[in-house]
Amino acid sequence: MPSQKLVRCFIRPVLAERQSTPRFVPLEIYGLWEFLMTRKHGFEVLDAEASLWLDVEDAPEAAYGETEFDRVTEVTAFIYSGRDGMFSRACRYFPTDQCERLKEIFLKHYRDRGEAIRVQVRERPGIWVHRVESLTEVA
């Protein structure tokens, strides 16, 4: 079953009154991502929690109650580099209800002097499963 370890956290601009928004980041790059978001982009990163993202086709959401998961879409961009003569792969995870807006921001990172670079995009719907507290944490 395809799965990915993701950290769900919430971000908001430092000292902003705005409500925080969720982000889903692969666990293996979370530390670097958090560093860049706080030091370079001026965001606070709050309430980080790791769990699994599961492909909906392989793990139907019907197996979980609606409150036991978040709908998260995997967006993979295959970007052609003329310099290297090959495609590279960039994969991000977005809350499904914000996917179109966040995908546009994500793809803006792949521009060459304002012109779009050849990019192929694939999307896969999935769910990020809420972790169940252990019995010792509940008691």
Side-chain angles (χ1 to χ4, degrees):
M1 166 174 40
S3 66
Q4 173 70 36
K5 293 177 185 173
L6 296 182
V7 174
R8 180 188 65 184
C9 60
F10 295 85
I11 64 168
R12 70 172 174 227
V14 173
L15 303 176
E17 296 294 321
R18 293 188 344 209
Q19 186 173 0
S20 59
T21 57
R23 293 295 184 271
F24 295 86
V25 183
L27 181 62
E28 66 267 10
I29 65 165
Y30 178 75
L32 174 62
W33 178 88
E34 181 181 32
F35 177 84
L36 290 172
M37 293 305 288
T38 58
R39 302 286 170 90
K40 184 175 181 188
H41 298 294
F43 284 93
E44 290 181 279
V45 179
L46 311 163
D47 303 325
E49 180 183 356
S51 191
L52 287 178
W53 175 88
L54 304 171
D55 184 328
V56 169
E57 290 184 15
D58 294 326
E61 66 269 26
Y64 301 94
E66 195 67 33
T67 60
E68 296 176 309
F69 64 86
D70 293 342
R71 293 182 186 281
V72 177
T73 300
E74 177 188 72
V75 177
T76 303
F78 297 93
I79 303 101
Y80 182 76
S81 168
R83 182 188 71 186
D84 301 327
M86 63 181 71
F87 282 90
S88 62
R89 177 180 177 267
C91 185
R92 300 292 185 271
Y93 296 84
F94 302 124
T96 299
D97 62 349
Q98 299 175 32
C99 187
E100 288 306 311
R101 181 180 64 82
L102 294 173
K103 182 172 64 173
E104 285 182 35
I105 295 168
F106 165 54
L107 293 175
K108 283 181 184 178
H109 288 89
Y110 301 100
R111 303 243 180 238
D112 186 21
R113 298 183 202 143
E115 298 296 319
I117 296 175
R118 288 194 326 188
V119 176
Q120 297 176 11
V121 178
R122 181 187 76 196
E123 295 182 25
R124 281 195 315 170
I127 57 174
W128 182 83
V129 180
H130 294 207
R131 292 175 61 182
V132 178
E133 297 177 7
S134 71
L135 293 177
T136 57
E137 293 173 7
V138 175

